[in-house]
Amino acid sequence: MSRRPLVAGNWKMFKTRAEARAFAETLAENLAQADGVDLAICPPFTSIDVVATVLQGTGVGVFGQTGHENENGAHTGEVSMGMLVDAGASGVLLGHSERRADCAETDQALARKVPAALVAGLTPVLCVGESEFERDSGSTKAILDVQVREGLSGVPKDRLGDVVVAYEPIWAIGTGKSARPEIAQEAHAWIREELRSLAGDTADSMRILYGGSVKPETAAELMALPDVDGALVGGAALDALSLLAIAAAARP
Ligand code: PEP
């Protein structure tokens, strides 16, 4: 089954609004390099509207980096899924390992956030991945199974196909140490198997992105793997041409 690749750039807590605008303008001018690949930018909340305005009509998605499951309420510092849509977002990262570690974004919370994103009309990207300790102790598959199953437990079966999953081994994020291709493929195949147990044949059309120190030089090898359907990119996504080079490597 051929799946259209998705390459998403996670800016984390980087870029002012002026820097975000400059990035988006460069991206828009050079989009032909990413023909055949879906692109998304995940700016901090403060720059979602700027990026969405510059990229309007280009087909490039603008995703939040997290979102709250409630529509509104007394949740200081939080932003709801509807507010992300209002700012111009079309998707949202959920369960990034930095959010799991810093802000207790638990599997139980994700079970509410993923369906809330879908109800608001956003594409949720559920991030999963094991720590170095979990890998070394042989529990990677068990950890991924739980994160996928619990994170998707609130999603109606007929909406599972609208979810994107990102495999991001924690030991590979921001370390410069990308997973070796055979390690990435094995984990992606495990995730697809778990998705199949939840969604049946729909699992074949669901995109599973690889994230963890993807660079333009290493992208082609990873993007060619049978169960890798694109990338979630951190550091290398802060430069528009670098992100486009990764997207070019993902072209079918
Ligand atoms: C990320 O933030 O999701 C990520 C994969 O970061 P990096 O590419 O810098 O490892």
Side-chain angles (χ1 to χ4, degrees), residues 126-186:
L126 174 66
C127 304
V128 299
E130 80 287 1
S131 67
E132 189 153 35
F133 173 79
E134 289 162 343
R135 172 157 290 275
D136 290 347
S137 57
S139 45
T140 299
K141 183 174 186 308
I143 294 288
L144 296 178
D145 283 355
V146 169
Q147 290 180 343
V148 169
R149 206 178 324 119
E150 296 264 317
L152 297 179
S153 60
V155 178
K157 196 169 177 195
D158 66 342
R159 295 301 312 271
L160 284 167
D162 298 323
V163 177
V164 175
V165 176
Y167 170 59
E168 297 209 298
I170 296 169
W171 45 269
I173 297 179
T175 59
K177 198 172 75 175
S178 196
R180 291 197 313 275
E182 64 275 21
I183 296 283
Q185 170 54 29
E186 179 182 56

